[in-house]
């Protein structure tokens, strides 16, 4: 059963009534309610179009966080073959919030790294809701080193509220680990492409997404801080998250204008959670296109491409 967001309540009522009519017909085959159900379906489809045609930044945040949205593990399962997970940072521990390993994408050997939020209560707790600790970022550095050594492209899938801010993480050097991961992104001499599949939160996302090419799903978000956190700091009131979301310019569309992302990947009507297979196929095409655009570039050219991308991004920001 679809989980509806607050702004989808009118839609939930219509789709619920249509399902009730169908359930009635299943219980009593002689009941003819197909015309009424179809009329409700058409009304629901029109309402869905209207709702998603002009989502506000805050509503996009809600869609990006939808619990039924495809997660990193779903993309890895659908897009990659021969996936071999690699664990641990060879220093402290394994971080379940970060998935990564060797795999094949379109029969090409690659390294894939991503944040995993989990899809039920147990897995969300195990995955720490996608909030990586220092060992997660150090694992990512280890995997990027491996990719660089063997000339394998790196594909990262970003979906995190941000790095874990707990006491233990700070004691083990959270900020340093994030910085090292970001630095490693800029240093490796292999193609690095990134897709923001849900939330791109703060430095925890930048540590994976400092890439040659960055794509964002249509209703994903990418920002320096969550709207709630921003509202708490600026207005001392987390309930002003809607105003904060507007000010942060965190949508894929805003960030494309600012040069932060290179491509917006269209989502099925109603968001990726309504048709995960179509969303995953769209990501497949985007990754293939991004890798193809980097084919033929040697290590020096790839590193320069990445460096110039982020230097130009700063200039665009100043000009704006």
């Amino acid at each position: 059963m679809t989980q509806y967001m607050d702004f989808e309540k009118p839609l939930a009522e219509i789709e619920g009534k249509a399902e009730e009519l169908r359930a009635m017909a299943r219980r009593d085959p002689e009941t003819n309610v197909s015309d009424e159900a179809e009329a409700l379906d058409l009304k629901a489809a029109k309402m869905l179009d209207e709702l998603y045609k002009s989502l506000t930044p805050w509503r996009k945040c809600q869609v990006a966080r939808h619990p039924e949205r495809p997660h990193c593990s779903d993309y890895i399962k659908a897009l990659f073959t021969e996936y071999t997970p690699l664990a641990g940072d060879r220093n402290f521990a394994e971080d379940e919030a970060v998935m990564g390993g060797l795999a094949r994408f379109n029969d090409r050997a690659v390294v894939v790294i991503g944040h995993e939020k989990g899809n039920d209560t147990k897995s969300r707790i195990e995955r720490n809701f996608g909030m990586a600790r220092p060992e997660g970022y150090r694992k990512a550095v280890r995997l990027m080193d491996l990719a660089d050594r063997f000339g394998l492209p790196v594909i990262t899938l970003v979906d995190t509220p941000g790095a874990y801010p707990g006491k233990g993480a700070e004691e083990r050097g959270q900020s340093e680990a994030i910085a090292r991961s970001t630095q490693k992104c800029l240093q490796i001499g292999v193609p690095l492409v990134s897709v923001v599949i849900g939330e791109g939160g703060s430095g925890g996302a930048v540590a994976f997404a400092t890439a040659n090419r960055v794509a964002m799903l249509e209703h994903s978000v990418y920002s320096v801080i969550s709207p709630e956190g921003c509202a708490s700091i600026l207005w001392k009131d987390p309930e002003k998250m809607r105003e904060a979301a507007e000010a942060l310019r965190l949508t894929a569309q805003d960030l494309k204008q600012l040069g932060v992302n290179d491509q917006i990947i269209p989502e099925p009507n109603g968001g990726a959670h309504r048709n995960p297979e179509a969303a995953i196929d769209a990501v497949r095409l985007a990754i293939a296109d991004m890798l193809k655009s980097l084919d033929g570039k040697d290590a020096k050219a790839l590193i320069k491409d990445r460096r110039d991308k982020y230097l130009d991004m700063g200039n665009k920001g100043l000009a704006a």
Side-chain angles (χ1 to χ4, degrees):
M1 183 178 294
T2 301
Q3 293 188 37
Y4 293 93
M5 290 164 282
D6 290 344
F7 68 89
E8 292 180 316
K9 284 181 179 178
L11 177 66
E13 291 178 8
I14 296 171
E15 291 187 337
K17 287 177 182 176
E19 183 53 37
E20 284 177 13
L21 289 174
R22 291 192 177 89
M24 187 189 306
R26 286 193 293 271
R27 288 193 300 269
D28 182 4
E30 293 183 4
T31 304
N32 186 6
V33 293
S34 58
D35 290 345
E36 292 89 336
E38 286 178 10
L40 288 172
D41 286 340
L42 290 172
K43 187 176 179 181
K46 185 177 180 180
M47 183 176 290
L48 189 67
D49 284 337
E50 292 300 318
L51 283 173
Y52 279 80
K53 190 187 300 180
S54 55
L55 288 177
T56 64
W58 173 243
R59 286 182 176 179
K60 281 186 178 283
C61 287
Q62 292 177 284
V63 177
R65 296 169 177 173
H66 196 285
E68 294 173 357
R69 195 173 177 85
H71 294 141
C72 178
S73 57
D74 300 311
Y75 285 96
I76 289 177
K77 184 178 180 181
L79 300 183
F80 299 90
T81 57
E82 299 180 35
Y83 173 64
T84 304
L86 299 176
D89 65 346
R90 303 290 174 88
N91 183 42
F92 181 76
E94 162 67 348
D95 186 351
E96 298 289 346
V98 175
M99 296 182 69
L102 298 165
R104 286 188 174 276
F105 176 77
N106 288 349
D107 205 32
R108 180 179 184 178
V110 299
V111 167
V112 57
I113 307 168
H115 303 96
E116 173 57 40
K117 287 183 171 181
N119 51 25
D120 57 27
T121 301
K122 182 181 177 182
S123 63
R124 284 170 191 146
I125 292 170
E126 288 175 352
R127 300 287 187 177
N128 201 32
F129 301 88
M131 295 184 290
R133 297 176 170 89
E135 45 273 22
Y137 295 107
R138 290 176 179 135
K139 175 168 73 172
V141 169
R142 182 167 78 86
L143 293 179
M144 285 189 272
D145 273 331
L146 180 71
D148 198 25
R149 189 178 311 128
F150 292 102
L152 304 177
V154 177
I155 299 167
T156 64
L157 302 170
V158 176
D159 189 15
T160 179
Y164 183 61
K167 181 174 180 286
E170 295 300 327
E171 288 173 344
R172 296 192 299 277
Q174 181 71 291
S175 59
E176 183 266 348
I178 292 170
R180 292 291 183 190
S181 184
T182 306
Q183 180 185 44
K184 184 58 64 176
C185 286
L186 290 166
Q187 290 176 337
I188 58 176
V190 295
L192 172 55
V193 301
S194 181
V195 181
V196 181
I197 58 175
E199 285 185 279
S202 192
V206 173
F208 285 9
T210 309
N212 293 95
R213 300 289 183 270
V214 178
M216 292 181 66
L217 278 167
E218 181 181 358
H219 302 310
S220 63
V221 295
Y222 191 10
S223 64
V224 70
I225 191 173
S226 69
E228 297 93 332
C230 178
S232 296
I233 292 170
L234 293 184
W235 292 286
K236 312 298 182 188
D237 180 4
E239 290 303 312
K240 288 194 175 286
M241 66 276 192
R242 293 170 182 79
E243 292 87 339
E246 293 278 354
L248 284 167
R249 299 190 69 181
L250 44 63
T251 68
Q253 294 73 22
D254 281 337
L255 295 172
K256 181 72 165 60
Q257 290 182 350
L258 294 170
V260 174
N261 73 55
D262 304 289
Q263 181 179 349
I264 298 174
I265 304 171
E267 294 189 27
N269 196 22
H273 58 280
R274 280 188 169 256
N275 191 341
E277 294 80 9
I280 290 170
D281 281 342
V283 169
R284 183 199 306 274
L285 293 174
I287 292 174
D289 287 344
M290 290 190 290
L291 288 175
K292 185 177 180 180
S293 73
L294 299 170
D295 283 344
K297 293 190 176 185
D298 61 19
K300 287 184 179 179
L302 288 165
I303 293 168
K304 184 177 186 302
D305 176 274
R306 218 173 292 135
R307 176 183 173 83
D308 290 347
K309 172 184 173 66
Y310 288 91
L311 289 175
D312 288 346
M313 192 185 298
N315 290 334
K316 287 179 182 178
L318 289 172

